[in-house]
Amino acid sequence: MKNYRLSSGTKEHYTSLADLREAWGMKPIVKKTSDKEKLAKQQEKFVSKHICRACGQPMTFIHGNVMACKNLKCKGIEIKREDKEGNVITSYINSCEILNEKGAEIANNIFN
């Protein structure tokens, strides 16, 4: 709630509905469904859209906006390059995905 200069008959001024809910002692809005079956379907549908490029298994939600592969057998994405002598060097990097703002909000709602 921001400080505003109030008129003589006004006691409080709210700039958002969230501030109003908090001031009146109401519960915050929860976007997570209470139906366990529907929640499981939402989680399954979300995870099916984020697949590891190395092993093809679904990624898991870590925190914030990060999805990563949790498969223990997955080495990661294979990268091959040559050194100065012409030897092929193979290295692996972890397969992860950064979610956009909307995707991160959806993931936080259905997984937390």
Side-chain angles (χ1 to χ4, degrees):
M1 185 170 91
K2 295 182 180 180
N3 295 329
Y4 284 96
R5 186 173 182 179
L6 303 175
S7 63
S8 62
T10 307
K11 294 182 180 179
E12 297 173 340
H13 177 82
Y14 299 102
T15 57
S16 69
L17 291 176
D19 290 340
L20 180 66
R21 290 183 72 83
E22 184 179 330
W24 283 74
M26 298 175 77
K27 294 179 182 177
I29 296 174
V30 178
K31 295 181 180 179
K32 187 175 186 178
T33 182
S34 59
D35 185 13
K36 299 295 182 186
E37 293 176 9
K38 185 176 179 181
L39 182 63
K41 287 180 184 178
Q42 288 175 342
Q43 290 173 345
E44 183 180 324
K45 183 179 177 182
F46 186 82
V47 169
S48 68
K49 293 179 182 178
H50 304 281
I51 304 295
C52 175
R53 292 190 296 165
C55 66
Q57 296 294 321
M59 293 184 180
T60 56
F61 178 68
I62 304 296
H63 70 281
N65 62 348
V66 179
M67 299 282 290
C69 182
K70 287 285 193 168
N71 186 2
L72 297 176
K73 297 178 183 178
C74 179
K75 293 180 181 179
I77 300 169
E78 182 179 3
I79 298 175
K80 292 184 179 182
R81 57 188 169 94
E82 291 186 12
D83 60 359
K84 294 179 182 178
E85 291 83 32
N87 299 328
V88 177
I89 299 172
T90 303
S91 59
Y92 297 93
I93 59 171
N94 293 334
S95 179
C96 65
E97 190 173 325
I98 306 296
L99 301 173
N100 62 7
E101 189 175 317
K102 184 176 181 181
E105 182 181 352
I106 292 169
N108 282 316
N109 287 335
I110 64 174
F111 288 110
N112 291 335

